């Protein structure tokens, strides 16, 4: 039940509990933590659920000063002092502007070619889905918007390709035997797919 509710909320922006459906406020997002080691006793998310997460990022460990503040308990005290940096309306307007970033058809075909290459790669058991292709394009548009451009260039796609695709792929035993990581495979694909002519 929990997983089906999570799939619904991530895909449709609403949740059904006890036969009653409730729409969620906009914007709404799901953030989850993943422990790659020591996950015994927890159930892995199915691939269909992982595919609904837009990106997977690694934050790494805190620096020494931040780690010390955590030990001193200062980080939790500061949560009461957190100030908003923008309003909901401003965020929605930014999302709309990012969605309006122009993507030439050749760049859309380029995204399709990149993601298709993940499906036929010799080191990959499961490649990036069409949902992943959509996420690459949306994230690349947001990246271009963040860099004050209203049009997409191949470098925007390259910049987000790993973060959007790394949790959507499964490497095979050949990759493990040769020491290939997901980042290596994705970089090889970028290197070998011809850039579009704009």
């Amino acid at each position: 039940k929990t997983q089906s509710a999570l799939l619904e909320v991530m895909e449709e922006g609403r949740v059904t509990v006890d036969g009653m459906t409730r729409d969620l406020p906009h914007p709404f997002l799901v953030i989850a933590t993943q422990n790659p080691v020591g996950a015994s006793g927890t159930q892995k998310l199915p691939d269909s659920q992982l595919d609904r997460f837009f990106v997977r990022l690694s934050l790494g460990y805190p620096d020494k000063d931040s780690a010390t503040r955590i030990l001193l308990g200062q980080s939790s005290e500061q949560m009461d002092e957190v100030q908003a940096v923008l309003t909901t309306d401003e965020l929605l307007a930014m999302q709309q502007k990012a969605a309006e970033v122009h993507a030439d058809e050749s760049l859309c075909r380029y995204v399709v070619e990149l993601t298709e290459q993940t499906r036929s790669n010799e080191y990959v058991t499961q490649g990036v889905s069409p949902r992943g292709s959509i996420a690459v394009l949306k994230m690349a548009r947001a990246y271009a918007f963040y860099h004050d451009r209203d049009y997409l260039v191949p470098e925007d796609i390259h910049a987000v390709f790993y973060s959007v695709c790394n949790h959507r792929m499964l490497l095979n035993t050949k990759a493990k035997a040769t020491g290939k990581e997901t980042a290596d495979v994705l970089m090889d694909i970028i290197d070998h797919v011809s850039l579009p002519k704009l």
Side-chain angles (χ1 to χ4, degrees):
K1 280 187 173 180
T2 303
Q3 287 190 347
S4 117
L6 189 56
L7 287 174
E8 180 185 11
V9 77
M10 293 174 77
E11 187 66 25
E12 300 173 31
R14 64 181 189 214
V15 65
T16 304
V17 179
D18 296 330
M20 185 176 286
T21 301
R22 292 180 175 87
D23 289 326
L24 295 165
H26 292 287
F28 178 83
L29 60 104
V30 176
I31 298 175
T33 58
Q34 184 178 28
N35 297 319
V37 180
S40 61
T42 62
Q43 186 175 347
K44 285 184 71 170
L45 292 177
D47 297 336
S48 62
Q49 205 159 312
L50 279 176
D51 198 23
R52 283 167 170 80
F53 282 94
F54 210 66
V55 294
R56 178 167 71 178
L57 305 170
S58 176
L59 300 178
Y61 291 105
D63 59 40
K64 288 181 182 179
D65 289 340
S66 299
T68 303
R69 284 197 301 276
I70 290 169
L71 292 179
L72 294 170
Q74 294 172 358
S75 60
S76 58
E77 292 167 7
Q78 292 171 344
M79 291 304 291
D80 295 335
E81 301 167 16
V82 172
Q83 299 293 315
V85 293
L86 72 166
T87 66
T88 301
D89 289 342
E90 288 170 332
L91 178 57
L92 290 170
M94 290 169 70
Q95 288 178 333
Q96 182 59 41
K97 287 282 191 190
E100 292 169 359
V101 167
H102 175 70
D104 189 80
E105 183 179 340
S106 63
L107 288 168
C108 293
R109 289 183 183 281
Y110 182 59
V111 169
V112 170
E113 180 65 26
L114 289 171
T115 53
E116 281 186 348
Q117 286 298 315
T118 68
R119 298 176 211 146
S120 60
N121 189 280
E122 63 178 314
Y123 298 110
V124 179
T125 298
Q126 176 181 295
V128 176
S129 69
R131 179 181 280 118
S133 300
I134 293 167
V136 169
L137 183 61
K138 284 183 174 181
M139 191 69 175
R141 280 179 158 142
Y143 187 86
F145 171 73
Y146 179 75
H147 287 89
D148 296 321
R149 269 185 286 101
D150 61 359
Y151 59 92
L152 205 62
V153 296
E155 291 75 18
D156 300 322
I157 296 164
H158 299 164
V160 304
F161 194 56
Y162 175 77
S163 297
V164 174
C165 296
N166 74 89
H167 62 292
R168 293 173 152 78
M169 291 171 44
L170 294 176
L171 300 186
N172 58 25
T173 52
K174 182 177 181 180
K176 292 172 185 164
T178 56
K180 286 272 189 185
E181 301 284 339
T182 307
D184 302 321
V185 174
L186 291 171
M187 190 53 66
D188 287 346
I189 288 170
I190 286 174
D191 289 343
H192 288 94
V193 173
S194 299
L195 288 169
K197 292 181 176 141
L198 299 174

